[in-house]
Amino acid sequence: FLGERLQPIPDTIAGSFILAGTVLTTAFGERDEGEVDIDLEQMTERLTNRVFVIALGCLFSGMLPSFLYMRLRKEAIKKAAVARPSSPPLMQLLLPAFMYGGFGCLTNIGLKAVSELTAAGAPVLVCGAVGVGVLPGACLQLNFLNRGLRLYPQVIFFPVSSAMLLVANTVYGALFYQEYTTFIESPMHLVYFVCGIALIAVGIAVFQLRKHDLTLEDGAATAEVDALKLGVRSCALEPGRYVGSSTAKRADGQGSTTSLHMTAPGEAPSSE
């Protein structure tokens, strides 16, 4: 339907690793259900919590260079994606997926904060202000999702971006709501959670094993070269046959011209 060709071996292996990793991170990402309603004062304390602030700084320190790189190298990234549609550069593919996951986790934290404040009976203006503050992050999340889907095949970008979002939601949600403290009581859960993240990373790396398909320009050039070879063989069998000239244009923009001329009986076909 989308015109994307599935490569069974690398895609199945990568999908299996990512699926196993998401199951582990979801199952063993600790969630403290003891406290349900959080008022505005508690929400402010958690927002200014030292651990969360440091983690948020680390997130933005990674997102800002990623955004600047995509902005400055926009045309180069686009050309690389077009040149290798079935096996795009993995590091460039990770950029919009990382931005999607980063803004997505902030959006989800904000939406959950709105629901918690509403349940705690916070003023409508406060809940509305928090909801409005979530909108820019949600718009940017969709922007980078659409940007990635426009440049890269869905069979690659969708599982990678979804895994990024899941890990970011789990990690930063646990840090903001201080659910990570339950790992102290169950250290093996932390081990399983880290193993899940490692499996996701391995699955993403496996996508590098996808084979590079010929682009349209590559395919046209190959077809014309094959036609020329067939003409040479036919000329050798039937002297006096005329084979016209043809130009094969490679994907890098450089062309090569091969001409075959009329040959008389008993003469070998000449090529210039």
Side-chain angles (χ1 to χ4, degrees), residues 76-86 88-89 151-152 212-213 215-217:
I77 292 174
K78 183 177 180 180
K79 289 180 180 179
V82 172
R84 300 180 58 184
S86 62
L151 290 175
Y152 306 110
H212 171 49
D213 291 337
T215 60
L216 294 178
E217 293 81 0

Side-chain angles (χ1 to χ4, degrees), residues 10-267:
D11 293 345
T12 303
I13 295 175
S16 300
F17 274 109
I18 293 176
L19 179 60
T22 54
V23 170
L24 285 177
T25 53
T26 302
F28 296 101
E30 293 296 336
R31 296 172 179 81
D32 187 6
E33 303 294 342
E35 185 177 13
V36 179
D37 298 337
I38 302 176
D39 57 22
L40 181 60
E41 182 179 357
Q42 293 173 323
M43 195 70 66
T44 304
E45 291 178 357
R46 296 190 175 190
L47 184 62
T48 57
N49 180 267
R50 186 175 183 180
V51 175
F52 180 73
V53 171
I54 294 175
L56 199 62
C58 294
L59 178 64
F60 284 129
S61 65
M63 293 175 65
L64 181 59
S66 299
F67 173 77
L68 292 177
Y69 182 86
M70 286 189 292
R71 185 71 177 177
L72 297 175
R73 303 279 297 173
K74 180 179 179 181
E75 293 301 324
I77 292 174
K78 183 177 180 180
K79 289 180 180 179
V82 172
R84 300 180 58 184
S86 62
S87 180
L90 184 60
M91 295 305 298
Q92 293 181 358
L93 182 145
L94 286 174
L95 294 175
F98 173 67
M99 299 294 289
Y100 167 73
F103 283 114
C105 76
L106 298 178
T107 300
N108 290 335
I109 290 174
L111 291 175
K112 185 177 180 180
V114 172
S115 65
E116 295 284 357
L117 291 173
T118 303
V124 177
L125 291 178
V126 174
C127 297
V130 176
V132 171
V134 171
L135 289 178
C139 293
L140 289 171
Q141 177 189 5
L142 293 177
N143 175 270
F144 286 105
L145 175 63
N146 292 330
R147 184 177 303 185
L149 292 176
R150 184 177 66 251
L151 290 175
Y152 306 110
Q154 291 191 27
V155 70
I156 304 176
F157 185 78
F158 185 75
V160 172
S161 60
S162 299
M164 288 283 189
L165 179 61
L166 175 64
V167 173
N169 280 337
T170 305
V171 172
Y172 281 88
L175 292 175
F176 181 78
Y177 291 99
Q178 300 180 4
E179 297 167 349
Y180 61 90
T181 56
T182 56
F183 279 129
I184 300 175
E185 300 176 0
S186 304
M188 285 304 300
H189 285 194
L190 177 60
V191 174
Y192 292 137
F193 180 78
V194 173
C195 289
I197 295 178
L199 288 175
I200 292 174
V202 172
I204 293 174
V206 171
F207 279 122
Q208 289 183 314
L209 301 179
R210 287 176 59 90
K211 295 181 180 179
H212 171 49
D213 291 337
L214 291 176
T215 60
L216 294 178
E217 293 81 0
D218 291 334
T222 302
E224 293 193 23
V225 171
D226 291 341
L228 288 174
K229 291 180 180 178
L230 180 61
V232 171
R233 289 195 295 268
S234 299
C235 235
L237 294 175
E238 301 177 11
R241 180 179 178 181
Y242 176 78
V243 181
S245 62
S246 178
T247 301
K249 185 178 180 181
R250 300 199 302 266
D252 57 7
Q254 299 177 355
S256 60
T257 304
T258 303
S259 300
L260 298 178
H261 304 283
M262 178 73 73
T263 58
E267 295 180 356

